[in-house]
mmCIF file with all atom_site columns, all heavy atoms in Angstrom:
data_model
loop_
_atom_site.group_PDB
_atom_site.id
_atom_site.type_symbol
_atom_site.label_atom_id
_atom_site.label_alt_id
_atom_site.label_comp_id
_atom_site.label_asym_id
_atom_site.label_entity_id
_atom_site.label_seq_id
_atom_site.pdbx_PDB_ins_code
_atom_site.Cartn_x
_atom_site.Cartn_y
_atom_site.Cartn_z
_atom_site.occupancy
_atom_site.B_iso_or_equiv
_atom_site.pdbx_formal_charge
_atom_site.auth_seq_id
_atom_site.auth_comp_id
_atom_site.auth_asym_id
_atom_site.auth_atom_id
_atom_site.pdbx_PDB_model_num
ATOM   1   N N   . SER A 1 11  ? -1.080  24.442 7.036   1.00 97.00 ? 11  SER A N   1
ATOM   2   C CA  . SER A 1 11  ? -2.034  24.743 5.959   1.00 97.00 ? 11  SER A CA  1
ATOM   3   C C   . SER A 1 11  ? -3.271  23.874 6.177   1.00 97.00 ? 11  SER A C   1
ATOM   4   O O   . SER A 1 11  ? -3.357  23.135 7.162   1.00 97.00 ? 11  SER A O   1
ATOM   5   C CB  . SER A 1 11  ? -1.423  24.401 4.591   1.00 97.00 ? 11  SER A CB  1
ATOM   6   O OG  . SER A 1 11  ? -1.441  22.982 4.400   1.00 97.00 ? 11  SER A OG  1
ATOM   7   N N   . ARG A 1 12  ? -4.200  23.937 5.238   1.00 98.00 ? 12  ARG A N   1
ATOM   8   C CA  . ARG A 1 12  ? -5.376  23.070 5.334   1.00 98.00 ? 12  ARG A CA  1
ATOM   9   C C   . ARG A 1 12  ? -5.003  21.587 5.290   1.00 98.00 ? 12  ARG A C   1
ATOM   10  O O   . ARG A 1 12  ? -5.826  20.732 5.621   1.00 98.00 ? 12  ARG A O   1
ATOM   11  C CB  . ARG A 1 12  ? -6.351  23.375 4.196   1.00 98.00 ? 12  ARG A CB  1
ATOM   12  C CG  . ARG A 1 12  ? -7.129  24.685 4.366   1.00 98.00 ? 12  ARG A CG  1
ATOM   13  C CD  . ARG A 1 12  ? -7.929  24.944 3.120   1.00 98.00 ? 12  ARG A CD  1
ATOM   14  N NE  . ARG A 1 12  ? -8.791  26.098 3.167   1.00 98.00 ? 12  ARG A NE  1
ATOM   15  C CZ  . ARG A 1 12  ? -8.412  27.339 2.868   1.00 98.00 ? 12  ARG A CZ  1
ATOM   16  N NH1 . ARG A 1 12  ? -7.156  27.600 2.554   1.00 98.00 ? 12  ARG A NH1 1
ATOM   17  N NH2 . ARG A 1 12  ? -9.287  28.342 2.894   1.00 98.00 ? 12  ARG A NH2 1
ATOM   18  N N   . ALA A 1 13  ? -3.791  21.274 4.880   1.00 98.00 ? 13  ALA A N   1
ATOM   19  C CA  . ALA A 1 13  ? -3.359  19.872 4.892   1.00 98.00 ? 13  ALA A CA  1
ATOM   20  C C   . ALA A 1 13  ? -3.359  19.311 6.311   1.00 98.00 ? 13  ALA A C   1
ATOM   21  O O   . ALA A 1 13  ? -3.431  18.093 6.512   1.00 98.00 ? 13  ALA A O   1
ATOM   22  C CB  . ALA A 1 13  ? -1.973  19.732 4.267   1.00 98.00 ? 13  ALA A CB  1
ATOM   23  N N   . ARG A 1 15  ? -5.671  19.244 8.295   1.00 98.00 ? 15  ARG A N   1
ATOM   24  C CA  . ARG A 1 15  ? -6.921  18.493 8.509   1.00 98.00 ? 15  ARG A CA  1
ATOM   25  C C   . ARG A 1 15  ? -6.734  17.021 8.138   1.00 98.00 ? 15  ARG A C   1
ATOM   26  O O   . ARG A 1 15  ? -7.207  16.128 8.845   1.00 98.00 ? 15  ARG A O   1
ATOM   27  C CB  . ARG A 1 15  ? -8.021  19.076 7.621   1.00 98.00 ? 15  ARG A CB  1
ATOM   28  C CG  . ARG A 1 15  ? -8.322  20.517 7.926   1.00 98.00 ? 15  ARG A CG  1
ATOM   29  C CD  . ARG A 1 15  ? -9.231  21.107 6.858   1.00 98.00 ? 15  ARG A CD  1
ATOM   30  N NE  . ARG A 1 15  ? -9.437  22.522 7.095   1.00 98.00 ? 15  ARG A NE  1
ATOM   31  C CZ  . ARG A 1 15  ? -10.067 23.337 6.259   1.00 98.00 ? 15  ARG A CZ  1
ATOM   32  N NH1 . ARG A 1 15  ? -10.545 22.858 5.116   1.00 98.00 ? 15  ARG A NH1 1
ATOM   33  N NH2 . ARG A 1 15  ? -10.230 24.606 6.550   1.00 98.00 ? 15  ARG A NH2 1
ATOM   34  N N   . TYR A 1 34  ? 2.238   25.994 -0.103  1.00 95.00 ? 34  TYR A N   1
ATOM   35  C CA  . TYR A 1 34  ? 1.361   26.766 -1.005  1.00 95.00 ? 34  TYR A CA  1
ATOM   36  C C   . TYR A 1 34  ? 2.046   28.055 -1.474  1.00 95.00 ? 34  TYR A C   1
ATOM   37  O O   . TYR A 1 34  ? 1.530   28.733 -2.363  1.00 95.00 ? 34  TYR A O   1
ATOM   38  C CB  . TYR A 1 34  ? 0.022   27.092 -0.316  1.00 95.00 ? 34  TYR A CB  1
ATOM   39  C CG  . TYR A 1 34  ? 0.154   27.784 1.022   1.00 95.00 ? 34  TYR A CG  1
ATOM   40  C CD1 . TYR A 1 34  ? 0.224   29.162 1.119   1.00 95.00 ? 34  TYR A CD1 1
ATOM   41  C CD2 . TYR A 1 34  ? 0.232   27.032 2.200   1.00 95.00 ? 34  TYR A CD2 1
ATOM   42  C CE1 . TYR A 1 34  ? 0.356   29.788 2.348   1.00 95.00 ? 34  TYR A CE1 1
ATOM   43  C CE2 . TYR A 1 34  ? 0.358   27.653 3.430   1.00 95.00 ? 34  TYR A CE2 1
ATOM   44  C CZ  . TYR A 1 34  ? 0.417   29.035 3.506   1.00 95.00 ? 34  TYR A CZ  1
ATOM   45  O OH  . TYR A 1 34  ? 0.562   29.635 4.718   1.00 95.00 ? 34  TYR A OH  1
ATOM   46  N N   . SER A 1 39  ? 3.073   24.585 -5.204  1.00 96.00 ? 39  SER A N   1
ATOM   47  C CA  . SER A 1 39  ? 1.877   23.805 -5.548  1.00 96.00 ? 39  SER A CA  1
ATOM   48  C C   . SER A 1 39  ? 1.412   24.088 -6.982  1.00 96.00 ? 39  SER A C   1
ATOM   49  O O   . SER A 1 39  ? 0.367   23.596 -7.405  1.00 96.00 ? 39  SER A O   1
ATOM   50  C CB  . SER A 1 39  ? 0.753   24.104 -4.559  1.00 96.00 ? 39  SER A CB  1
ATOM   51  O OG  . SER A 1 39  ? 0.422   25.481 -4.598  1.00 96.00 ? 39  SER A OG  1
ATOM   52  N N   . ARG A 1 40  ? 2.201   24.899 -7.708  1.00 97.00 ? 40  ARG A N   1
ATOM   53  C CA  . ARG A 1 40  ? 1.848   25.199 -9.106  1.00 97.00 ? 40  ARG A CA  1
ATOM   54  C C   . ARG A 1 40  ? 2.811   24.540 -10.086 1.00 97.00 ? 40  ARG A C   1
ATOM   55  O O   . ARG A 1 40  ? 2.771   24.791 -11.284 1.00 97.00 ? 40  ARG A O   1
ATOM   56  C CB  . ARG A 1 40  ? 1.837   26.718 -9.338  1.00 97.00 ? 40  ARG A CB  1
ATOM   57  C CG  . ARG A 1 40  ? 0.868   27.475 -8.420  1.00 97.00 ? 40  ARG A CG  1
ATOM   58  C CD  . ARG A 1 40  ? -0.570  27.162 -8.807  1.00 97.00 ? 40  ARG A CD  1
ATOM   59  N NE  . ARG A 1 40  ? -1.498  27.519 -7.750  1.00 97.00 ? 40  ARG A NE  1
ATOM   60  C CZ  . ARG A 1 40  ? -2.577  28.274 -7.889  1.00 97.00 ? 40  ARG A CZ  1
ATOM   61  N NH1 . ARG A 1 40  ? -2.872  28.760 -9.061  1.00 97.00 ? 40  ARG A NH1 1
ATOM   62  N NH2 . ARG A 1 40  ? -3.381  28.520 -6.887  1.00 97.00 ? 40  ARG A NH2 1
ATOM   63  N N   . GLY A 1 51  ? -3.940  23.259 -8.173  1.00 98.00 ? 51  GLY A N   1
ATOM   64  C CA  . GLY A 1 51  ? -2.722  23.818 -7.600  1.00 98.00 ? 51  GLY A CA  1
ATOM   65  C C   . GLY A 1 51  ? -2.854  24.149 -6.124  1.00 98.00 ? 51  GLY A C   1
ATOM   66  O O   . GLY A 1 51  ? -2.224  25.085 -5.623  1.00 98.00 ? 51  GLY A O   1
ATOM   67  N N   . ARG A 1 52  ? -3.664  23.394 -5.417  1.00 98.00 ? 52  ARG A N   1
ATOM   68  C CA  . ARG A 1 52  ? -3.852  23.666 -3.979  1.00 98.00 ? 52  ARG A CA  1
ATOM   69  C C   . ARG A 1 52  ? -3.572  22.411 -3.156  1.00 98.00 ? 52  ARG A C   1
ATOM   70  O O   . ARG A 1 52  ? -3.786  21.282 -3.614  1.00 98.00 ? 52  ARG A O   1
ATOM   71  C CB  . ARG A 1 52  ? -5.281  24.124 -3.704  1.00 98.00 ? 52  ARG A CB  1
ATOM   72  C CG  . ARG A 1 52  ? -5.661  25.422 -4.401  1.00 98.00 ? 52  ARG A CG  1
ATOM   73  C CD  . ARG A 1 52  ? -6.955  25.938 -3.801  1.00 98.00 ? 52  ARG A CD  1
ATOM   74  N NE  . ARG A 1 52  ? -7.670  26.840 -4.673  1.00 98.00 ? 52  ARG A NE  1
ATOM   75  C CZ  . ARG A 1 52  ? -7.374  28.123 -4.837  1.00 98.00 ? 52  ARG A CZ  1
ATOM   76  N NH1 . ARG A 1 52  ? -6.367  28.650 -4.189  1.00 98.00 ? 52  ARG A NH1 1
ATOM   77  N NH2 . ARG A 1 52  ? -8.086  28.878 -5.648  1.00 98.00 ? 52  ARG A NH2 1
ATOM   78  N N   . ILE A 1 53  ? -3.154  22.652 -1.931  1.00 98.00 ? 53  ILE A N   1
ATOM   79  C CA  . ILE A 1 53  ? -2.960  21.556 -0.973  1.00 98.00 ? 53  ILE A CA  1
ATOM   80  C C   . ILE A 1 53  ? -4.113  21.594 0.029   1.00 98.00 ? 53  ILE A C   1
ATOM   81  O O   . ILE A 1 53  ? -4.667  22.674 0.254   1.00 98.00 ? 53  ILE A O   1
ATOM   82  C CB  . ILE A 1 53  ? -1.593  21.684 -0.256  1.00 98.00 ? 53  ILE A CB  1
ATOM   83  C CG1 . ILE A 1 53  ? -1.421  23.089 0.331   1.00 98.00 ? 53  ILE A CG1 1
ATOM   84  C CG2 . ILE A 1 53  ? -0.458  21.335 -1.194  1.00 98.00 ? 53  ILE A CG2 1
ATOM   85  C CD1 . ILE A 1 53  ? -0.242  23.258 1.249   1.00 98.00 ? 53  ILE A CD1 1
ATOM   86  N N   . PRO A 1 54  ? -4.464  20.410 0.588   1.00 98.00 ? 54  PRO A N   1
ATOM   87  C CA  . PRO A 1 54  ? -3.837  19.096 0.467   1.00 98.00 ? 54  PRO A CA  1
ATOM   88  C C   . PRO A 1 54  ? -4.310  18.321 -0.762  1.00 98.00 ? 54  PRO A C   1
ATOM   89  O O   . PRO A 1 54  ? -5.305  18.659 -1.387  1.00 98.00 ? 54  PRO A O   1
ATOM   90  C CB  . PRO A 1 54  ? -4.314  18.380 1.734   1.00 98.00 ? 54  PRO A CB  1
ATOM   91  C CG  . PRO A 1 54  ? -5.680  18.951 1.978   1.00 98.00 ? 54  PRO A CG  1
ATOM   92  C CD  . PRO A 1 54  ? -5.590  20.394 1.551   1.00 98.00 ? 54  PRO A CD  1
ATOM   93  N N   . TRP A 1 64  ? -8.414  15.304 -4.010  1.00 98.00 ? 64  TRP A N   1
ATOM   94  C CA  . TRP A 1 64  ? -8.131  16.633 -3.470  1.00 98.00 ? 64  TRP A CA  1
ATOM   95  C C   . TRP A 1 64  ? -9.387  17.178 -2.834  1.00 98.00 ? 64  TRP A C   1
ATOM   96  O O   . TRP A 1 64  ? -10.456 16.598 -3.002  1.00 98.00 ? 64  TRP A O   1
ATOM   97  C CB  . TRP A 1 64  ? -7.536  17.575 -4.515  1.00 98.00 ? 64  TRP A CB  1
ATOM   98  C CG  . TRP A 1 64  ? -7.974  17.436 -5.936  1.00 98.00 ? 64  TRP A CG  1
ATOM   99  C CD1 . TRP A 1 64  ? -7.336  16.741 -6.910  1.00 98.00 ? 64  TRP A CD1 1
ATOM   100 C CD2 . TRP A 1 64  ? -9.135  18.011 -6.562  1.00 98.00 ? 64  TRP A CD2 1
ATOM   101 N NE1 . TRP A 1 64  ? -8.011  16.838 -8.098  1.00 98.00 ? 64  TRP A NE1 1
ATOM   102 C CE2 . TRP A 1 64  ? -9.123  17.617 -7.913  1.00 98.00 ? 64  TRP A CE2 1
ATOM   103 C CE3 . TRP A 1 64  ? -10.176 18.822 -6.114  1.00 98.00 ? 64  TRP A CE3 1
ATOM   104 C CZ2 . TRP A 1 64  ? -10.111 18.009 -8.827  1.00 98.00 ? 64  TRP A CZ2 1
ATOM   105 C CZ3 . TRP A 1 64  ? -11.159 19.220 -7.019  1.00 98.00 ? 64  TRP A CZ3 1
ATOM   106 C CH2 . TRP A 1 64  ? -11.111 18.824 -8.349  1.00 98.00 ? 64  TRP A CH2 1
ATOM   107 N N   . GLU A 1 65  ? -9.246  18.289 -2.123  1.00 98.00 ? 65  GLU A N   1
ATOM   108 C CA  . GLU A 1 65  ? -10.261 18.869 -1.233  1.00 98.00 ? 65  GLU A CA  1
ATOM   109 C C   . GLU A 1 65  ? -10.160 18.164 0.130   1.00 98.00 ? 65  GLU A C   1
ATOM   110 O O   . GLU A 1 65  ? -10.410 16.959 0.247   1.00 98.00 ? 65  GLU A O   1
ATOM   111 C CB  . GLU A 1 65  ? -11.698 18.778 -1.762  1.00 98.00 ? 65  GLU A CB  1
ATOM   112 C CG  . GLU A 1 65  ? -12.016 19.811 -2.836  1.00 98.00 ? 65  GLU A CG  1
ATOM   113 C CD  . GLU A 1 65  ? -11.956 21.262 -2.325  1.00 98.00 ? 65  GLU A CD  1
ATOM   114 O OE1 . GLU A 1 65  ? -12.281 21.535 -1.157  1.00 98.00 ? 65  GLU A OE1 1
ATOM   115 O OE2 . GLU A 1 65  ? -11.558 22.140 -3.112  1.00 98.00 ? 65  GLU A OE2 1
ATOM   116 N N   . SER A 1 66  ? -9.805  18.965 1.137   1.00 98.00 ? 66  SER A N   1
ATOM   117 C CA  . SER A 1 66  ? -9.509  18.398 2.457   1.00 98.00 ? 66  SER A CA  1
ATOM   118 C C   . SER A 1 66  ? -10.654 17.548 3.014   1.00 98.00 ? 66  SER A C   1
ATOM   119 O O   . SER A 1 66  ? -10.417 16.470 3.567   1.00 98.00 ? 66  SER A O   1
ATOM   120 C CB  . SER A 1 66  ? -9.155  19.524 3.440   1.00 98.00 ? 66  SER A CB  1
ATOM   121 O OG  . SER A 1 66  ? -10.163 20.523 3.457   1.00 98.00 ? 66  SER A OG  1
ATOM   122 N N   . MET A 1 67  ? -11.891 18.029 2.880   1.00 98.00 ? 67  MET A N   1
ATOM   123 C CA  . MET A 1 67  ? -13.008 17.268 3.452   1.00 98.00 ? 67  MET A CA  1
ATOM   124 C C   . MET A 1 67  ? -13.204 15.949 2.698   1.00 98.00 ? 67  MET A C   1
ATOM   125 O O   . MET A 1 67  ? -13.482 14.907 3.297   1.00 98.00 ? 67  MET A O   1
ATOM   126 C CB  . MET A 1 67  ? -14.311 18.078 3.383   1.00 98.00 ? 67  MET A CB  1
ATOM   127 C CG  . MET A 1 67  ? -14.281 19.379 4.108   1.00 98.00 ? 67  MET A CG  1
ATOM   128 S SD  . MET A 1 67  ? -14.417 19.235 5.905   1.00 98.00 ? 67  MET A SD  1
ATOM   129 C CE  . MET A 1 67  ? -12.954 20.140 6.407   1.00 98.00 ? 67  MET A CE  1
ATOM   130 N N   . MET A 1 100 ? -17.833 23.784 5.665   1.00 98.00 ? 100 MET A N   1
ATOM   131 C CA  . MET A 1 100 ? -17.156 24.456 4.554   1.00 98.00 ? 100 MET A CA  1
ATOM   132 C C   . MET A 1 100 ? -17.983 25.603 3.989   1.00 98.00 ? 100 MET A C   1
ATOM   133 O O   . MET A 1 100 ? -17.445 26.639 3.610   1.00 98.00 ? 100 MET A O   1
ATOM   134 C CB  . MET A 1 100 ? -16.840 23.455 3.436   1.00 98.00 ? 100 MET A CB  1
ATOM   135 C CG  . MET A 1 100 ? -15.779 22.444 3.818   1.00 98.00 ? 100 MET A CG  1
ATOM   136 S SD  . MET A 1 100 ? -14.182 23.191 4.176   1.00 98.00 ? 100 MET A SD  1
ATOM   137 C CE  . MET A 1 100 ? -13.462 23.194 2.540   1.00 98.00 ? 100 MET A CE  1
ATOM   138 N N   . GLU A 1 104 ? -16.344 28.259 7.019   1.00 98.00 ? 104 GLU A N   1
ATOM   139 C CA  . GLU A 1 104 ? -14.901 28.334 6.758   1.00 98.00 ? 104 GLU A CA  1
ATOM   140 C C   . GLU A 1 104 ? -14.417 29.757 6.469   1.00 98.00 ? 104 GLU A C   1
ATOM   141 O O   . GLU A 1 104 ? -13.406 30.202 6.984   1.00 98.00 ? 104 GLU A O   1
ATOM   142 C CB  . GLU A 1 104 ? -14.494 27.392 5.624   1.00 98.00 ? 104 GLU A CB  1
ATOM   143 C CG  . GLU A 1 104 ? -12.993 27.113 5.683   1.00 98.00 ? 104 GLU A CG  1
ATOM   144 C CD  . GLU A 1 104 ? -12.365 26.666 4.376   1.00 98.00 ? 104 GLU A CD  1
ATOM   145 O OE1 . GLU A 1 104 ? -12.835 27.080 3.299   1.00 98.00 ? 104 GLU A OE1 1
ATOM   146 O OE2 . GLU A 1 104 ? -11.380 25.913 4.442   1.00 98.00 ? 104 GLU A OE2 1
HETATM 147 N N1  . GSH B 2 .   ? -11.112 23.884 -0.488  1.00 63.80 ? 1   GSH B N1  1
HETATM 148 C C1  . GSH B 2 .   ? -9.742  23.452 -0.535  1.00 63.80 ? 1   GSH B C1  1
HETATM 149 C C2  . GSH B 2 .   ? -8.850  24.670 -0.320  1.00 63.80 ? 1   GSH B C2  1
HETATM 150 C C3  . GSH B 2 .   ? -7.382  24.337 -0.429  1.00 63.80 ? 1   GSH B C3  1
HETATM 151 C C4  . GSH B 2 .   ? -6.531  25.585 -0.306  1.00 63.80 ? 1   GSH B C4  1
HETATM 152 O O1  . GSH B 2 .   ? -6.963  26.714 -0.609  1.00 63.80 ? 1   GSH B O1  1
HETATM 153 N N2  . GSH B 2 .   ? -5.272  25.386 0.113   1.00 63.80 ? 1   GSH B N2  1
HETATM 154 C C5  . GSH B 2 .   ? -4.353  26.481 0.192   1.00 63.80 ? 1   GSH B C5  1
HETATM 155 C C6  . GSH B 2 .   ? -3.396  26.301 1.359   1.00 63.80 ? 1   GSH B C6  1
HETATM 156 S S1  . GSH B 2 .   ? -4.236  26.305 2.905   1.00 63.80 ? 1   GSH B S1  1
HETATM 157 C C7  . GSH B 2 .   ? -3.507  26.506 -1.080  1.00 63.80 ? 1   GSH B C7  1
HETATM 158 O O2  . GSH B 2 .   ? -3.090  25.473 -1.536  1.00 63.80 ? 1   GSH B O2  1
HETATM 159 N N3  . GSH B 2 .   ? -3.246  27.666 -1.630  1.00 63.80 ? 1   GSH B N3  1
HETATM 160 C C8  . GSH B 2 .   ? -2.378  27.786 -2.768  1.00 63.80 ? 1   GSH B C8  1
HETATM 161 C C9  . GSH B 2 .   ? -2.952  28.581 -3.874  1.00 63.80 ? 1   GSH B C9  1
HETATM 162 O O3  . GSH B 2 .   ? -4.141  28.903 -3.829  1.00 63.80 ? 1   GSH B O3  1
HETATM 163 O O4  . GSH B 2 .   ? -2.197  28.880 -4.793  1.00 63.80 ? 1   GSH B O4  1
HETATM 164 C C10 . GSH B 2 .   ? -9.509  22.378 0.532   1.00 63.80 ? 1   GSH B C10 1
HETATM 165 O O5  . GSH B 2 .   ? -10.164 22.425 1.589   1.00 63.80 ? 1   GSH B O5  1
HETATM 166 O O6  . GSH B 2 .   ? -8.688  21.473 0.321   1.00 63.80 ? 1   GSH B O6  1
#
Side-chain angles (χ1 to χ4, degrees):
S11 76
R12 286 174 176 86
R15 299 170 184 173
Y34 54 89
S39 60
R40 302 290 163 128
R52 298 193 202 280
I53 51 170
W64 34 264
E65 282 296 327
S66 53
M67 300 284 126
M100 291 298 271
E104 200 203 31

